[in-house]
């Protein structure tokens, strides 16, 4: 019997910007340009919409906190918000001066980190009632961020990439006292040096970055149908292993059509990764062996986000119009979320070629 895939009922009405699985269950958060965050239970075929949380502006990213009851959102209202998923109550933690593109939570350090088009990071210490959010100025506009247990990767414009040590980042930003106007206000600017500064291996604009679950490195993707795989270890031997490859390209009447690689996600158990492209395909890759494991059937529109469940048994795929085909407007069935149940070895690496 082939692995099952089903479509979530009650999808968003506008483009999907992010999807995230819960840390303790098969609940799934979906952020959308329709100014809503959706919470689904995906434990049964067809899924079930549990609740919708309205925002003031399009929501660009979402993540869970320590448990299934708390989430955090960002978007074009410039705010970083805490969202109580049980009550629906929202609280502004800090405000940027432009749209906020990305948001991640470090369970090990209890840090919530947001990256905004105002070229800053905001660092929030969620376990501390005595410290105020802090702001770190970046050299360029951030496009995507990701983290491991020990490191934060920030991919920016101009091919800039910063890697921060999370323990150092936590200690550098934890000792600032709260001011009386800190509730939902501006963060305190500080200067923190990254652990490493790098130039992206990709020549064109970065679309996504995702860190390996074993804390060894990261993958990044670009608008020009390429993915790069790199390792944190700065030694010449380790850096010699980095590479980039072409993907999400289709041949049309003898012409190579290049699509953006919009989404990346690593499998939490096997360490392989999924990529989703503007061509409507999702592929699984073994980054160490430099091999494609498999490619799934083409979806009706561009793949905008992918996410693995905490145990790696399910892969969520969000599709939304990317307008790569020149069509304007949203057609029937263009915005959907699919849940694929993976076979025991479906996402397992194939090993090195002999």
């Amino acid at each position: 019997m082939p692995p099952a895939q089903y479509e979530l009922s009650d999808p968003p009405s506008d483009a999907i910007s992010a999807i995230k699985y819960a840390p303790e269950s098969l609940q799934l958060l979906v952020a959308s340009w329709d100014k809503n965050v959706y919470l689904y239970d995906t434990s049964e075929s067809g899924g079930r919409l549990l609740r919708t949380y309205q925002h003031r502006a399009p929501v660009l990213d979402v993540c869970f906190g320590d448990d299934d009851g708390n989430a955090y959102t960002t978007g074009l209202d410039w705010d970083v918000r805490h969202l109580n998923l049980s009550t629906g109550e929202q609280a502004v933690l800090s405000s940027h001066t432009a749209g906020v593109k990305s948001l991640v939570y470090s369970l090990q350090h209890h840090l919530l980190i947001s990256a905004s088009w105002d070229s800053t990071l905001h660092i929030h210490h969620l376990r501390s009632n005595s410290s105020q959010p802090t702001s770190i100025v970046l050299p360029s506009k951030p496009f995507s961020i990701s983290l491991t247990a020990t490191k934060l990767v920030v991919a920016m414009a101009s091919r800039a990439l910063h890697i921060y040590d999370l323990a150092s980042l936590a200690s550098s930003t934890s000792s600032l006292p709260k001011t009386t106007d800190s509730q939902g206000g501006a963060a305190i600017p500080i200067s923190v040096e990254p652990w490493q500064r790098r130039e992206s291996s990709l020549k064109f604009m970065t679309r996504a970055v995702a860190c390996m679950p074993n804390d060894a490195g990261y993958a990044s993707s670009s608008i020009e149908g390429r993915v790069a795989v790199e390792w944190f270890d700065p030694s010449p031997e380790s850096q010699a292993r980095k590479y980039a490859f072409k993907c999400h390209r289709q041949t049309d009447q003898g012409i190579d059509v290049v699509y953006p690689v919009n989404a990346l996600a690593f499998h939490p158990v096997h360490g392989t990764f999924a990529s989703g492209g503007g061509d409507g395909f999702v592929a699984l890759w073994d980054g160490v062996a430099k091999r494609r494991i498999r490619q799934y059937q083409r979806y009706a529109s561009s793949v905008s986000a992918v996410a693995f469940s905490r145990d790696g048994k399910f892969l969520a795929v969000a599709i939304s119009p990317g307008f790569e085909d020149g069509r304007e407007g949203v057609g029937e069935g263009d915005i959907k979320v699919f849940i694929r149940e993976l076979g025991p070895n479906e996402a397992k690496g194939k090993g090195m070629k002999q």
Side-chain angles (χ1 to χ4, degrees):
M1 182 177 176
Q5 175 176 282
Y6 66 85
E7 174 189 326
L8 284 184
S9 57
D10 303 309
S13 60
D14 205 343
I16 296 169
S17 51
I19 54 177
K20 299 289 170 60
Y21 267 107
E24 300 170 345
S25 70
L26 288 176
Q27 291 186 0
L28 183 75
L29 281 173
V30 177
S32 172
W33 280 75
D34 67 7
K35 303 180 183 179
N36 288 301
V37 169
Y38 298 78
L39 178 65
Y40 297 91
D41 178 3
T42 69
S43 61
E44 297 181 1
S45 182
R48 180 165 58 97
L49 178 62
L50 299 177
R51 190 160 182 168
T52 303
Y53 308 90
Q54 188 172 10
H55 287 60
R56 296 188 305 164
V59 186
L60 299 184
D61 207 357
V62 63
C63 70
F64 281 92
D66 285 323
D67 51 44
D68 288 11
N70 292 282
Y72 303 91
T73 66
T74 57
L76 293 184
D77 62 0
W78 305 0
D79 292 334
V80 179
R81 294 173 178 268
H82 170 252
L83 177 59
N84 186 312
L85 297 176
S86 299
T87 66
E89 181 182 356
Q90 299 182 27
V92 176
L93 302 180
S94 71
S95 297
H96 287 267
T97 57
V100 190
K101 173 62 173 64
S102 304
L103 187 69
V104 292
Y105 176 70
S106 169
L107 180 64
Q108 291 76 14
H109 298 278
H110 308 294
L111 292 179
L112 181 71
I113 303 168
S114 57
S116 167
W117 290 326
D118 64 9
S119 297
T120 66
L121 297 176
H122 279 191
I123 315 297
H124 311 79
H125 287 259
L126 299 184
R127 287 289 181 90
S128 173
N129 293 321
S130 60
S131 63
Q132 184 168 346
T134 52
S135 174
I136 298 173
V137 175
L138 300 170
S140 299
K141 182 185 294 186
F143 293 142
S144 182
I145 61 177
S146 182
L147 50 68
T148 68
T150 67
K151 295 176 182 65
L152 168 72
V153 177
V154 183
M156 296 168 276
S158 304
R159 299 177 63 195
L161 190 139
H162 281 184
I163 304 172
Y164 292 88
D165 178 81
L166 281 176
S168 298
L169 192 63
S171 63
S172 300
T173 59
S174 63
S175 57
L176 297 173
K178 270 195 174 182
T179 60
T180 55
D181 62 348
S182 64
Q183 192 70 14
I188 300 174
I190 64 169
S191 178
V192 177
E193 280 295 307
W195 175 62
Q196 288 184 29
R197 300 173 189 264
R198 294 188 181 184
E199 183 177 78
S200 172
S201 299
L202 304 170
K203 294 182 179 179
F204 292 86
M205 189 180 87
T206 300
R207 182 57 66 91
V209 64
C211 289
M212 300 176 186
N214 64 357
D215 205 5
Y218 59 92
S220 58
S221 66
S222 78
I223 61 171
E224 189 246 347
R226 288 180 190 266
V227 168
V229 179
E230 303 192 30
W231 281 262
F232 291 135
D233 182 356
S235 69
E237 295 79 13
S238 182
Q239 290 306 300
R241 298 171 59 199
K242 68 181 182 182
Y243 67 96
F245 62 94
K246 297 178 182 180
C247 55
H248 295 281
R249 300 173 178 225
Q250 305 296 326
T251 302
D252 184 10
Q253 298 180 346
I255 299 174
D256 189 23
V257 182
V258 179
Y259 292 89
V261 185
N262 299 321
L264 297 171
F266 274 90
H267 192 280
V269 177
H270 300 308
T272 54
F273 67 92
S275 65
D279 57 352
F281 283 102
V282 171
L284 294 182
W285 308 89
D286 185 334
V288 175
K290 303 182 182 180
R291 300 180 68 182
R292 189 176 76 182
I293 301 169
R294 57 180 37 86
Q295 180 172 278
Y296 297 113
Q297 82 285 353
R298 192 171 195 169
Y299 291 95
S301 54
S302 175
V303 177
S304 57
V306 293
F308 286 102
S309 61
R310 59 184 175 83
D311 58 6
K313 293 182 179 179
F314 295 89
L315 173 63
V317 178
I319 64 169
S320 305
F323 308 110
E324 291 89 356
D325 55 8
R327 290 189 300 126
E328 293 188 7
V330 179
E332 184 71 25
D334 282 351
I335 299 172
K336 293 182 181 295
V337 179
F338 295 90
I339 306 298
R340 182 177 184 86
E341 183 177 1
L342 302 178
N345 297 314
E346 191 169 341
K348 194 172 183 179
K350 291 186 174 183
M352 298 294 291
K353 291 182 179 180
Q354 298 299 318

